[in-house]
Amino acid sequence: MSTIMIVEDDPKINQLLQNQLEKYGYHTVNVEHFDRVMEVFKEIRPDLVLLDVNLPKFDGFYWCRQMRQESNCPILFISARDSKMDQVMALENGADDYITKPFDYDVVMAKIRSQLRRAYGLYAPQEGERTVEVAGLKLFLERMELMMHESKVELSKKEALLLEALMNQYPRVVSRERLLEKLWDEQFVDENTLNVYITRVRGKLKDMGLEGAVETVRGSGYRLRAVWEDGQ
């Protein structure tokens, strides 16, 4: 049974969506406190998200970006805002589709089934799980997990992308520019944001007993060091 997370602040639409989804055998989870969207998302790990644009606290574009750092699950916007710019912004921020209100529930259900098939079913990629390994340190990209022997930590999507770049280039240096491009494509971000993720990755490695595994190369970038292998 697929789990659908509904992030919609209109109680009437929320209930109608829930009734329709449950009629077709889906398990639904409604967000009730809109400052806890990511807490619910991480807790239930939904198979698909229905997300409104106009929400209390932060808008749907913000939450979509946050979700994309954690998961590749399908995200469908459902919104009364029907401008081309809103639809472009939704897709640019990581959404898979944009449905304008008032909508036909049969169309919504068809789009949900289509996205679930593409992500997990008939049309989902069938290749084996992508992994990267350096001297026994193994990164599982789809699971966003890092393992070394019996030690394991969970990663965010950005942390996994950063480690993937460092591990693929091991033992060479990866420039800050290359890391910024890989993690944020062509979006403009402050370089301090990269520093934050480097610190987070170092923290995850330290939790595994691999302190010092990410080395700063002044004026160039960063590189992975197999400190667990060379004893340094």
Side-chain angles (χ1 to χ4, degrees), residues 7-109:
V7 190
E8 164 64 67
D9 65 339
D10 185 317
K12 183 178 179 180
I13 293 177
N14 206 322
Q15 190 61 56
L16 287 169
L17 283 169
Q18 183 178 355
N19 292 343
Q20 192 75 4
L21 287 162
E22 292 180 353
K23 173 183 172 182
Y24 284 91
Y26 296 108
H27 173 62
T28 62
V29 176
N30 295 317
V31 173
E32 298 178 354
H33 303 286
F34 293 94
D35 55 349
R36 296 187 62 247
V37 172
M38 286 307 297
E39 291 178 44
V40 176
F41 182 83
K42 292 177 183 179
E43 180 181 342
I44 68 171
R45 293 189 173 274
D47 298 296
L48 182 143
V49 178
L50 295 175
L51 180 62
D52 194 7
V53 174
N54 293 324
L55 294 169
K57 306 287 183 180
F58 300 99
D59 64 22
F61 303 133
Y62 170 84
W63 292 120
C64 188
R65 292 194 300 273
Q66 302 307 305
M67 292 174 188
R68 276 290 169 256
Q69 293 183 31
E70 301 288 337
S71 171
N72 288 320
C73 78
I75 299 175
L76 279 66
F77 271 89
I78 46 172
S79 177
R81 289 164 56 167
D82 59 359
S83 74
K84 182 172 69 174
M85 183 54 64
D86 284 316
Q87 296 180 48
V88 169
M89 284 182 63
L91 297 172
E92 289 291 335
N93 280 283
D96 296 281
D97 206 342
Y98 191 102
I99 307 169
T100 56
K101 304 172 186 175
F103 44 72
D104 185 301
Y105 284 94
D106 289 333
V107 172
V108 174
M109 295 307 302

Side-chain angles (χ1 to χ4, degrees), residues 91-137:
L91 297 172
E92 289 291 335
N93 280 283
D96 296 281
D97 206 342
Y98 191 102
I99 307 169
T100 56
K101 304 172 186 175
F103 44 72
D104 185 301
Y105 284 94
D106 289 333
V107 172
V108 174
M109 295 307 302
K111 286 179 176 286
I112 288 171
R113 288 193 295 268
S114 174
Q115 291 294 338
L116 289 172
R117 284 197 303 270
R118 289 179 183 278
Y120 314 109
L122 182 61
Y123 306 125
Q126 299 299 312
E127 67 268 12
E129 183 175 15
R130 291 189 303 138
T131 61
V132 185
E133 185 171 1
V134 172
L137 182 67

Side-chain angles (χ1 to χ4, degrees), residues 134-136 148 170 225-232:
V134 172
M148 167 70 82
Y170 173 82
R225 295 177 57 210
V227 292
W228 59 94
E229 190 174 58
D230 57 27
Q232 296 180 16

